């Protein structure tokens, strides 16, 4: 039972263009969403988060959008840089437990 | 300003041996989470602990796995009588009162 899904295993974009990573969830009890970036042989690094009371959160080149009715969130990176090449995980949490439910990850490659 | 520390970074065990994975949370963090990442998969929640208490162990296999977070010292994830299917990357995360969890570099367990 995959409650958080990232349906695109990989994405390739040109440097300077926008990267859009998508994530869908099924559990309407989730009220907090996070994006993590992961390089090989390292732990996930927190990027940006959004509470369910918001529909957008922006931090520099990173913006997360939340569509609660569609149970969908997306991460926009603009402009994309080669150093952004990594695996991106979305994760969801319900406030009661604190545990994170992760998607399968999307590998982003930004070409110079 | 040390982040989450995990050791060892790599651990090799033969089938039937015990594996002990250690996690020291960030300074000031009292919540510890363990996650497992199998090859080609996302991270899966295992257990959530606070000092001297297991809060949620719904992701822990019923047998051979145990976790503790004593009053003094690191959190320990213990796997008894390891099998090949236990080979994975094990990540520890810590948090304070917020939902943001900060991850350690992981321990890569290989069972021969």
């Amino acid at each position: 039972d995959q409650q958080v899904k990232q349906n695109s295993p990989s994405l390739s974009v040109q440097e300077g263009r926008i990267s859009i990573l998508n994530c869908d969830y099924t559990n309407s009890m989730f009220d907090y969403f996070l994006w993590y970036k992961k390089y090989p042989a390292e732990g996930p690094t927190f990027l940006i988060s959004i509470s369910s009371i918001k529909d957008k959160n922006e931090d520099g080149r990173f913006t997360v959008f939340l569509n609660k009715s569609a149970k969908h969130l997306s991460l926009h990176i603009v402009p994309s840089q080669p150093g952004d090449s990594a695996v991106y995980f979305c994760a969801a949490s319900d406030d009661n437990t604190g545990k994170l439910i992760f998607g399968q990850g999307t590998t982003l490659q930004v070409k110079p | 300003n040390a982040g989450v520390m995990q050791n060892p970074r790599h651990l090799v065990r033969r089938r039937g041996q015990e594996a002990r994975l250690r996690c020291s949370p960030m300074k000031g963090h009292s919540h510890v989470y363990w996650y497992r990442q199998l090859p080609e998969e996302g991270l899966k929640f295992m257990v959530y602990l606070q000092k001297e208490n297991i809060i949620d162990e719904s992701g822990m296999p019923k047998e051979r796995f145990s976790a503790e977070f004593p009053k003094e010292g690191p959190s320990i994830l213990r796997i008894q009588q390891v099998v090949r299917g236990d080979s994975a990357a094990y990540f520890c995360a810590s948090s304070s009162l917020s939902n943001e969890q900060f991850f350690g570099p992981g321990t890569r367990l290989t069972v021969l």
Side-chain angles (χ1 to χ4, degrees):
Chain A
D1 178 26
Q2 189 74 25
Q3 296 187 72
V4 178
K5 295 181 183 179
Q6 293 176 256
N7 291 317
S8 298
S10 63
L11 175 68
S12 180
V13 300
Q14 207 65 37
E15 180 179 7
R17 306 296 287 267
I18 185 172
S19 295
I20 300 176
L21 297 103
N22 294 302
C23 180
D24 298 292
Y25 62 97
T26 58
N27 190 340
S28 57
M29 296 301 293
F30 289 148
D31 57 7
Y32 196 74
F33 303 89
L34 308 91
W35 282 94
Y36 284 85
K37 174 182 179 180
K38 186 180 181 305
Y39 293 116
E42 293 184 14
T45 302
F46 170 76
L47 269 180
I48 192 168
S49 62
I50 187 167
S51 164
S52 60
I53 61 173
K54 294 186 173 182
D55 55 18
K56 177 183 175 182
N57 189 27
E58 190 173 351
D59 183 2
R61 296 185 298 114
F62 302 92
T63 304
V64 56
F65 295 91
L66 175 62
N67 183 334
K68 283 182 63 179
S69 61
K71 294 192 179 69
H72 177 83
L73 64 155
S74 61
L75 174 68
H76 292 209
I77 307 173
V78 55
S80 302
Q81 300 172 353
D84 296 330
S85 298
V87 180
Y88 288 78
F89 291 98
C90 74
S93 164
D94 69 58
D95 208 31
N96 290 332
T97 66
K99 69 185 181 190
L100 297 179
I101 309 298
F102 281 85
Q104 310 95 307
T106 297
T107 301
L108 173 65
Q109 183 183 25
V110 180
K111 296 179 179 178
Chain B
N1 183 22
V4 178
M5 298 174 67
Q6 289 187 251
N7 68 81
R9 293 292 307 274
H10 299 273
L11 182 61
V12 179
R13 284 287 178 264
R14 296 190 181 278
R15 280 179 296 170
Q17 291 184 320
E18 178 179 287
R20 279 183 177 242
L21 289 64
R22 295 174 187 79
C23 169
S24 296
M26 284 179 70
K27 189 175 181 181
H29 286 187
S30 59
H31 305 254
V32 167
Y33 304 80
W34 285 93
Y35 296 84
R36 176 167 65 175
Q37 185 182 23
L38 295 170
E40 307 301 325
E41 294 187 12
L43 284 76
K44 296 282 197 288
F45 168 79
M46 299 182 75
V47 61
Y48 163 35
L49 309 105
Q50 294 181 20
K51 284 285 187 182
E52 300 184 281
N53 283 307
I54 297 175
I55 307 301
D56 181 350
E57 56 181 346
S58 58
M60 287 279 270
K62 295 278 187 285
E63 298 176 346
R64 303 187 297 107
F65 284 71
S66 62
E68 62 176 6
F69 189 15
K71 188 176 180 182
E72 302 290 338
S75 175
I76 306 284
L77 179 67
R78 182 182 177 204
I79 312 172
Q80 294 178 290
Q81 299 175 329
V82 295
V83 300
R84 288 218 174 105
D86 297 332
S87 296
Y90 292 82
F91 293 97
C92 165
S94 73
S95 72
S96 57
L97 295 177
S98 71
N99 280 339
E100 293 168 11
Q101 295 179 20
F102 295 88
F103 282 80
T107 294
R108 273 140 196 89
L109 172 65
T110 301
V111 180
L112 301 178

